[in-house]
Amino acid sequence: MTAVEDGLRLKTRERPDHDAARDLVAEAIDTGALVTVVGRCTVDYEGRASSTLGPGERLVMLKPDGAALVHTDEGQQPVNWQPPDCDHEASLVDGHLRIESHRETPEEHLAVDFESVLEVSAYGLTDERDLSLQGTEEDLRQRILDDPALVETGFVPLATERGTPAGAVDIYGEDGDGRAVAVELKRRRVGPDAVGQLGRYVDAMERDLHADTEVRGILVAPSVTDRASRLLAERGLEFVPLTPTGSGESPGSSE
């Protein structure tokens, strides 16, 4: 079921199977949405201390700023939580949904393993204070089309929404040396899922353009998480910090 109310994008899956739940949580993380998951789960934490929360029905909330909260049906405080600037990740372990939240300094790791999933919801929330900063991906695309040097000197856009077997590349072009470039745009701070998405586009384009052709992949976003930065380096992909607005000020990737 998908609904739109007062401009707030809402995507909800009731009693999804674990594959569908994983896909929706991963999509929400990738697009910077706020995601909630209700289900029967266990919770393990490793960090300043160690703790395990046995099976029970709980609400898990992942915020786009990196915060993670685990609530029971009692009280106003979460029973487990992670602060902002953590990396969120959704996966399947033995066929069941696992949600993880990790930060490097100090080293902390929260893992939530779901026995069953009652509901997953993703909300495209935007705080009024962020409207002038965040803009949209279309704003970001237009900034680059108006001034391709924002990506790098010599970059020439050739197409938008170029189709590949892995999905549509936001901007396809060539660099100053004539090499193919796939540019993936994100309007908000992004994590590992965005890197994986860009990697799939690059792989698909290299297959389309034949093995002898090198395709560069460039992720354009206001900032990336530490884990995403490491994955970019491991995959040989690149990052350009840029906001959708025309302010000319782009935060770096050190958040």
Side-chain angles (χ1 to χ4, degrees):
M1 175 179 66
T2 301
V4 178
E5 299 177 357
D6 299 328
L8 174 64
R9 291 179 299 137
L10 167 64
K11 184 179 289 187
T12 297
R13 298 286 182 269
E14 296 180 358
R15 298 188 180 276
D17 60 35
H18 289 267
D19 285 287
R22 185 272 315 275
D23 290 346
L24 180 51
V25 174
E27 177 188 359
I29 293 170
D30 184 41
T31 58
L34 181 146
V35 59
T36 61
V37 184
V38 178
R40 185 172 177 82
C41 61
T42 59
V43 184
D44 291 287
Y45 167 80
E46 291 287 341
R48 292 162 293 178
S50 296
S51 66
T52 297
L53 194 61
E57 292 184 345
R58 303 180 179 101
L59 164 67
V60 178
M61 179 183 295
L62 304 177
K63 294 188 176 183
D65 67 355
L69 308 171
V70 180
H71 284 277
T72 66
D73 61 346
E74 296 181 345
Q76 64 184 32
Q77 298 296 330
V79 291
N80 287 92
W81 61 279
Q82 289 275 72
D85 289 333
C86 291
D87 293 328
H88 301 324
E89 195 172 350
S91 62
L92 291 179
V93 176
D94 296 328
H96 288 76
L97 173 66
R98 170 178 286 179
I99 293 176
E100 296 176 86
S101 181
H102 180 78
R103 72 167 173 167
E104 299 290 337
T105 308
E107 182 80 13
E108 292 186 289
H109 185 261
L110 182 72
V112 184
D113 288 287
F114 284 87
E115 176 184 324
S116 60
V117 181
L118 300 177
E119 183 177 283
V120 181
S121 295
Y123 305 86
L125 302 180
T126 303
D127 193 302
E128 291 295 331
R129 294 170 300 172
D130 293 333
L131 284 176
S132 61
L133 171 64
Q134 298 296 346
T136 66
E137 286 184 13
E138 182 56 37
D139 294 332
L140 189 55
R141 187 197 324 269
Q142 196 57 53
R143 281 199 73 187
I144 293 172
L145 295 179
D146 290 342
D147 186 4
L150 290 171
V151 174
E152 66 178 25
T153 302
F155 175 66
V156 179
L158 298 176
T160 60
E161 296 297 323
R162 184 190 189 280
T164 78
V169 175
D170 288 326
I171 300 178
Y172 167 71
E174 291 184 353
D175 64 15
D177 296 323
R179 291 176 296 182
V181 180
V183 178
E184 177 64 18
L185 307 176
K186 299 296 181 185
R187 69 184 183 91
R188 305 182 71 165
R189 185 171 190 257
V190 295
D193 285 336
V195 180
Q197 182 183 10
L198 176 59
R200 290 191 294 274
Y201 292 162
V202 168
D203 291 343
M205 287 182 63
E206 287 180 340
R207 290 193 296 270
D208 276 354
L209 298 174
H210 307 300
D212 293 339
T213 302
E214 176 190 357
V215 177
R216 294 175 58 198
I218 300 178
L219 178 62
V220 176
S223 63
V224 298
T225 65
D226 290 340
R227 184 178 297 182
S229 182
R230 290 194 301 273
L231 288 175
L232 284 165
E234 291 172 5
R235 289 293 312 270
L237 303 173
E238 303 165 58
F239 169 65
V240 172
L242 189 68
T243 65
T245 65
S247 65
E249 297 182 5
S250 300
S253 61
S254 60
E255 294 184 17

